[in-house]
Amino acid sequence: MFRVPNPADIDPILQKYATLKQEAKKDGKPYILEVTAGKSIDDPRNQGYTLFALVKFSSIDDMKCASWKAVEFAVVNKEYRYYDTECEAHQALKAVGKGKAEPPPLVVYMSDVVHA
């Protein structure tokens, strides 16, 4: 989740998310399973977060932590994962959002997810 203070900055970021799954390639093939992104509804429980994005991967190795502390941990422990380090589509998305979101984003990793 991201805090994007200027509402006008959200739509260009969402437009990039809309094409991320198709544009993101690893070894020449799509590797992102699902992308869902949108504006949050104005509610105090949002704690100032105005944009959410869910990006699903088939493995942890296909992505890398996007939070500053997690990136530091990953670099120190020599964990280099594709999404944050090599994916050209993600680099283009980050370029569109650069300077528009207040750091840090809220990043959540899940395992053993229950679908009902």
Side-chain angles (χ1 to χ4, degrees), residues 1-5 46-51 65-72 97 99-109:
M1 294 193 306
F2 303 90
R3 289 182 175 112
V4 181
N46 293 342
Q47 301 178 23
Y49 290 100
T50 56
L51 172 67
C65 306
S67 71
W68 281 260
K69 289 288 184 193
V71 167
E72 181 179 308
K100 296 176 181 163
E102 296 175 352
L106 175 60
V107 179
V108 177
Y109 301 98

Side-chain angles (χ1 to χ4, degrees), residues 1 18 24 26 32 57 60 94:
M1 294 193 306
K26 182 177 181 183
I32 293 176
F57 302 89
I60 190 88
K94 289 194 296 188

Side-chain angles (χ1 to χ4, degrees), residues 1-14 17 38-40 48-52 96-97 99-103:
M1 294 193 306
F2 303 90
R3 289 182 175 112
V4 181
N6 183 352
D9 289 336
I10 296 175
D11 283 337
I13 297 169
L14 287 176
Y17 270 113
K39 299 175 188 177
S40 64
Y49 290 100
T50 56
L51 172 67
F52 74 88
V96 169
K100 296 176 181 163
E102 296 175 352

Side-chain angles (χ1 to χ4, degrees), residues 32 63 66 75 93 108:
I32 293 176
M63 48 82 56
V75 170
L93 172 61
V108 177

Side-chain angles (χ1 to χ4, degrees), residues 21-48:
K21 182 179 175 185
Q22 294 78 23
E23 293 176 358
K25 308 276 193 237
K26 182 177 181 183
D27 299 324
K29 300 175 188 166
Y31 73 101
I32 293 176
L33 301 178
E34 179 183 333
V35 175
T36 303
K39 299 175 188 177
S40 64
I41 296 171
D42 190 22
D43 184 286
R45 294 173 287 188
N46 293 342
Q47 301 178 23

